[in-house]
Amino acid sequence: MIYEINPKYSSLKPLIENIESYFQDSSHVLYDQRNVIRVVAFENEKYVVKAFKVPNVINRYAYRYLRPSKAKRSYQYSLKIGAELSPEPIAYIEQNKKLGLATSYYISKYFDYDHTIHEVLVNKALPDREQILKAFADFTFNLHQLEILHHDYSHGNILIKKSEPETSEYEIKIID
């Protein structure tokens, strides 16, 4: 097993070293298609764990020996983007076999969002829709100001939460 933990979260080493059992024990599934994303509880905190699909034989070798795995890239990109714009990265984990990468995980802090950008785009009756879209435009501008060009700006990768119930400000995070 190869992993890297955000130094701020070194106390989570037991979670990292036993990620398979924590992941399998979690019944809180956020997404289950090509990859699987679950919410995992550990020491009274919630974390999001993304298990990446096992790659084909060629990519298993490539991710083990030639280039960073998707889990490692998710972790590194989130560190670069920062906790202001992305849920805080905790760690990535790679489990290898003879042919290369077998399984990999990315762990981040749980972000309790209200909507994805997809919901905002399709639900024209959503209260504050215009303010949310303006906040999303500002968020995108901020990313570009930081010279960050996210290559997977898909509808499920943008999470939105109202900052305070009595305000019209929104917190937006990008994932993956």
Side-chain angles (χ1 to χ4, degrees), residues 23-48:
F23 188 78
Q24 294 305 322
D25 290 346
S26 172
S27 61
H28 188 165
V29 178
L30 296 176
Y31 182 83
D32 187 358
Q33 300 219 350
R34 184 177 39 133
N35 304 307
V36 180
I37 303 173
R38 295 183 181 178
V39 176
V40 171
F42 182 77
E43 295 183 354
N44 298 318
E45 290 288 330
K46 290 181 183 178
Y47 301 95
V48 174

Side-chain angles (χ1 to χ4, degrees), residues 7-22:
K8 187 175 172 181
Y9 295 98
S10 59
S11 64
L12 297 178
K13 193 172 181 179
L15 169 65
I16 306 309
E17 292 177 341
N18 297 290
I19 193 62
E20 282 188 63
S21 61
Y22 282 101

